[in-house]
Amino acid sequence: MNYKTILNEIQPTTKEKEQIHTLSNNLIKYLNRILKEQNINAEALLVGSVAKNTFLRGKSDIDIFINFPLSTPMDQLKELGLKLGYQCSEEFNGKAEEHYASHPYLTSCIDGYDIDFVPCYKIKSAKQLKSAVDRTLLHTKYITSHLKEEQKSEVLLLKKFMSEIKTYGSEFKVGGFAGYLCELLILKYGTFEKLLENAQNWNYGIIIDLEDYGTGKNFNDPLITIDPTDENRNVGAALRLEKMVDFIIASRNFLDETNNDKKSDYFKPLNKKQKISTSEILKKFKDRETHTLLLKFEIPEIPPDSLHPQLNKTMESITEKLETKDFSIFKSDYWTDENKLAIFIFELNVYKQSKYIIHEGPKIWSKKSCDNFKNYRGDKLYSIDDLLVLTKERKFKTPESYINYILTNENIHNIKIGKNLKDLIIATYDLDLIENFLSNKNFENYSFKKDFLNFLDDFIYPKQYVKR
Amino acid sequence: MNYKTILNEIQPTTKEKEQIHTLSNNLIKYLNRILKEQNINAEALLVGSVAKNTFLRGKSDIDIFINFPLSTPMDQLKELGLKLGYQCSEEFNGKAEEHYASHPYLTSCIDGYDIDFVPCYKIKSAKQLKSAVDRTLLHTKYITSHLKEEQKSEVLLLKKFMSEIKTYGSEFKVGGFAGYLCELLILKYGTFEKLLENAQNWNYGIIIDLEDYGTGKNFNDPLITIDPTDENRNVGAALRLEKMVDFIIASRNFLDETNNDKKSDYFKPLNKKQKISTSEILKKFKDRETHTLLLKFEIPEIPPDSLHPQLNKTMESITEKLETKDFSIFKSDYWTDENKLAIFIFELNVYKQSKYIIHEGPKIWSKKSCDNFKNYRGDKLYSIDDLLVLTKERKFKTPESYINYILTNENIHNIKIGKNLKDLIIATYDLDLIENFLSNKNFENYSFKKDFLNFLDDFIYPKQYVKR
């Protein structure tokens, strides 16, 4: 297949490239000048996809790292980093905002581009690592010195393909392939197509070890890609099995496709086959004959990479607890706008329980244990096999009653809950059947309506994105 | 406690004893005379509880065993046994009926007493055993020579107590304590009360070895009682754990009871506390908020000890299969009149399923397996973790639909079914909700109504019999 047309659409335009490089150069020159003026022993460097020339059209995040010598105290590095960022942002009339990764950094919007100003240590090898961001320098150097000019287009094809099949990005929300991982995969297999050909036969635990460190056997992950700059690190550690599988299946689907027009569609957003209206979604849920509950609540102001694990953990804990109460979950998931709201969805196929359960007591053999149990439980005991048992009324006959029970200050300890979610979920939650929630007049005016319906569509039709 | 009053009620009356012994003597005399006349080398002997004087008032089954030398061919023994039985029955104007244990034998009703005429081999030790009934002779000899006169009353108390707590009888339907086992237990512990005192602290696998054979460790049963006439046999082999437990708990209840009137009640049929009317039973089932199905069908003419295991096996198999189809059984059981009808009862707490299930295919790693699965299952596949799956419509959304499916000639092989039940259950079954079944006008006129309602009452209130 000829990828020219696709590349024409995804490569940055000449104008975009010029603008970005001019801007980055100016920023770096300015920073290095004031570093010299202020007699600070540090150097600003361009890193990341802009430095590597592997960014997609319109996706240029300019990463400027301010490198301090290893002798700099951490506190000083953090303080100077932010200060220099602010200074530069003001000089260029940017709009600055603090963020937090392994330590605080500044993001500023200048001339329509997002610039990250990140302080870091100038290290020569991973052994000198003081904070996680320090690696970026090593990664940038490794890629710029190893990736051939013609392979940069291959990286772009891969990144775009990954984006459209929803496997691109190592942030928790996606759990997919980091940009650096994409670059290493192209280094390994040479081209986008060669990578896909190989990926369709990957096994669990496949090892990619460009520098032949031989350390792959120390990891137990679905995809083990040894960092060329650190033999003890798996670049694919954050990749979820699910996303690796999605990529494998998408590779097969893409390669099995004989129609080139359809192949090109893999580089475009999925054009969903079904209509996504409230009534269509409701019809689909009705067809499933399940009982679907939505739990809506307000979320705290925390970064997405904190928010998502907490939402996931809470949702999974409620799901597990419902199962222990004899309800059966067909499927559960969560949605969030990452700003104000989150909604858990619990789709149940067993959602009503009969009145009694059999509560198991001690084995009958010890008279003393039986007498103790009888004193505690009353005398309505009987035996099943060699167990003393009691038919007692079930505490929770519906999933709603259980959820309402645990979402209180007294009982929230029964579930594992994200620490930042606890208070808000108790104070603001709203539990309703999906049919009531979606039929509510307010829903039609909700700002998140479109995004949420799309999420529900993905819920009903899983893995749409891996195929065109 | 003074057991005199109870013994006065359960010991055979003098008149009854006289009648029985006169009758047995006459029968034996007659049989031995014709054996001599016909020049048959065999001898009729009185065995069993009448011979041992351990029978309860009104419960005298007269067992007459015709002993043949070990050299007699089995065919000849069977033939002569039946022939002599018929001859004797005719002589005494009896009403004869053939039965089958390890070989055929005749039961005849003479002067209101049931007499068993059983041919067997005259063995001196268990090593010479040719058929299971041969042991009876050894058992009778052992008990008559070891059980003291005053212990006979203790055996009577035990048998009556066992009967009223529903643990007496080794037939499959009960799975309880055989008469011989009761006698051995009195030999072991001396008196009824001593036995109960010990039984309340029995452990699983307790060994009772009157002759100190030391063979107990070869068995793995709840109660191991080595047969004094055969070191390789556990007399308690047919005792179900459930019935051993019932006896232990009843022993504790009896001994813990301080009111002697209430203690006496353990020797009388249970006076049920609750009303057993159709409407009361329905009310109870309604309260349980379950879904209770009755499966009624005609049964073949086979002996109870064949019928019960087949009913049990079939009911358990249907129960298990319903569970594999994601239904959940709260409780199941069966009832039969042992003559025409059987009814299975399945009480479900999960009895409705949603429309779809997730059908699991191969792991995704082998493209070939995936392609094969796709060819077979169509292309609506997706992945969960590293499995290829398919959302497909559930075949059985209700337990009724599954039961109706398997009870056909084509699909009956899906369950384990008693071989003699198969054709009749398919041809005659009737499946209905308990509320419909009991509300049916016909039910009020059914001859089995009272017995069946009593069974349902036991179903709702298990183990009523172990307490007074």
Side-chain angles (χ1 to χ4, degrees), chain B residues 211-347:
Chain B
E211 296 292 327
D212 290 328
Y213 288 129
T215 48
K217 59 186 182 307
N218 303 335
F219 298 92
N220 180 17
D221 292 308
L223 174 65
I224 298 157
T225 306
I226 305 301
D227 190 341
T229 74
D230 185 351
E231 61 179 28
N232 294 315
R233 178 171 181 260
N234 172 17
V235 181
L239 174 68
R240 276 203 291 268
L241 173 61
E242 182 196 353
K243 293 296 170 168
M244 179 182 175
V245 167
D246 287 354
F247 177 62
I248 292 172
I249 292 180
S251 295
R252 292 174 183 164
N253 291 341
F254 177 81
L255 293 172
D256 286 349
E257 179 59 66
T258 49
N259 180 324
N260 276 342
D261 281 349
K262 282 201 174 174
K263 276 187 129 155
S264 306
D265 286 346
Y266 281 85
F267 299 91
K268 291 172 196 156
L270 176 71
N271 202 352
K272 289 197 172 187
K273 285 182 188 100
Q274 58 283 348
K275 259 169 65 190
I276 309 181
S277 65
T278 309
S279 62
E280 279 297 319
I281 293 286
L282 275 176
K283 213 167 114 185
K284 285 293 168 191
F285 273 99
K286 200 176 174 196
D287 170 66
R288 287 155 81 94
E289 296 171 20
T290 48
H291 184 83
T292 302
L293 292 170
L294 297 183
L295 179 68
K296 187 185 87 175
F297 55 95
E298 291 173 21
I299 53 172
E301 278 184 50
I302 52 174
D305 261 11
S306 283
L307 175 66
H308 285 283
Q310 292 195 33
L311 289 173
N312 195 56
K313 174 178 149 185
T314 309
M315 175 205 72
E316 288 199 339
S317 179
I318 297 178
T319 300
E320 277 165 26
K321 286 288 176 177
L322 284 170
E323 297 266 0
T324 68
K325 299 295 164 195
D326 295 340
F327 301 110
S328 164
I329 306 277
F330 186 67
K331 189 169 180 170
S332 60
D333 205 346
Y334 72 85
W335 168 90
T336 179
D337 64 359
E338 296 186 349
N339 178 26
K340 289 220 162 80
L341 279 182
I343 301 178
F344 291 163
I345 174 166
F346 302 106
E347 185 182 24

